[in-house]
Amino acid sequence: MAALLKIEYRDPLEPVTGVLVIDRLVDGVCAGGLRIAADVDADEIAALARNMTRKQAAFALPVGGAKAGLRMAPDHPARTAVLRRFLAAVAPFIERCWSVGPDLNTTMAELQRAADDVGLPCLKLAVGRSRGLADHEFLRRYAFLDAAIDGWSVHALRAPAAVRAATLALGRALARPAGLRVAIQGAGAMGGGAAWLLDRVGCRVVAWADDLRCLVADAGLDVPALLAGRRDGRLPELAADVRPSDAVLQTDCDVLILAAVSRAFTIDDIPRLRCAGVVEAANLALAPEVEDALHAAGVLVIPDLLASAGGSWPSRRSTPAPRTAPPTSSPTSSAASPPASNMSSRTAAPPACPARAPHGGDRWPLTRHVPKDTSHVP
């Protein structure tokens, strides 16, 4: 099934492009992260958005799926300015229907700082509005996610908490409930949070890889020290055996946690694995054919549909407000056109209050929408 909406973005000042894909609306809202990477691909973003729809549905969450990406190197010198301009350009969707979260090479703190700079008080406003909550009440409730837990916020631990649960469940299934030996691919928000949570419950992190290197210690790495020295998703070279990044796949462990990129390895890599189970903490961490091959090889896998859904769980707490009013705009109306656009014409203007479709997924009437020029945004 084709996505509901695809928006292609071109930055007016830097040679950077971006894309936002809304796969589906449920009760007028969708959720999905914003990533930054040099290899962002529109088709991959669409696949990730579709996966978000499946993930929300698996937990009966009243939210559709979305995903966005900016195609630039994570260390791009104009990163912050580009991010601000992108958020300003898609602000109407954030305000009405898209709940934005972090993804590859981004954090919630960074995204919200950029949003504050362009007048967006919260990147999750659409959730509260879709539930009939006044903004001030939603923001009051949302503030609880900033609560501190031993130096971490609830925000930062929501997604890793599901990874911890999946890893411990897999350990029980493998009849190795105590002293679980874990290898982690990825040292960003998901990998870092998972390492901290697992270390606290007695798991031994025997290997941990970022995009440059893999640190290995059979007796277990010093997770707190590595987290203290971590910078921009990269680990410090402390007392450990330092190997190439992909050596994490060959580390002797009980559970391999994939918390970095999509399609982390191929079928050809399976003979090199030395784990009994795999947890897909990253979205689309493994292609379906790789999952099937692992099953045939006797390696247990907890898919991302379950393991990476922690960031979505709070959506289940709210009861959607009744929707009886039809959309305020007619299906053929067009939005007014401000000056120069830096978006493609394949966009849609969300109505103020979309009616719920009989099948449970909302559909916008596709209309031509030309957003404001954002070249003035610093």
Side-chain angles (χ1 to χ4, degrees), residues 265-315:
F265 59 82
T266 68
I267 290 177
D268 293 339
D269 294 313
I270 292 178
R272 298 193 297 145
L273 298 181
R274 298 176 65 188
C275 60
V278 175
V279 171
E280 294 186 58
N283 292 309
L284 296 180
L286 295 174
E289 61 271 18
V290 178
E291 292 176 333
D292 292 342
L294 286 169
H295 176 72
V299 179
L300 296 182
V301 177
I302 295 186
D304 64 327
L305 196 68
L306 302 177
S308 69
S312 300
W313 286 349
S315 300

Side-chain angles (χ1 to χ4, degrees), residues 92-112:
F93 298 94
I94 297 172
E95 292 170 339
R96 300 183 188 185
C97 65
W98 176 31
S99 173
V100 187
D103 201 84
L104 182 67
N105 296 320
T106 61
T107 66
M108 196 66 207
E110 176 196 21
L111 295 178
Q112 189 55 59

Side-chain angles (χ1 to χ4, degrees), residues 191-259:
W196 186 76
L197 289 171
L198 290 167
D199 181 67
R200 282 170 60 92
V201 295
C203 294
R204 204 184 332 163
V205 179
V206 296
W208 195 358
D210 57 25
D211 62 327
L212 297 180
R213 64 185 69 84
C214 177
L215 307 182
V216 180
D218 189 64
L221 293 164
D222 185 343
V223 170
L226 290 173
L227 287 170
R230 184 180 55 152
R231 296 291 182 272
D232 299 323
R234 287 179 176 163
L235 299 167
E237 292 187 15
L238 299 180
D241 179 7
V242 181
R243 304 178 186 177
S245 181
D246 63 355
V248 71
L249 302 178
Q250 304 170 52
T251 302
D252 185 16
C253 62
D254 298 315
V255 177
L256 170 62
I257 298 173
L258 303 175

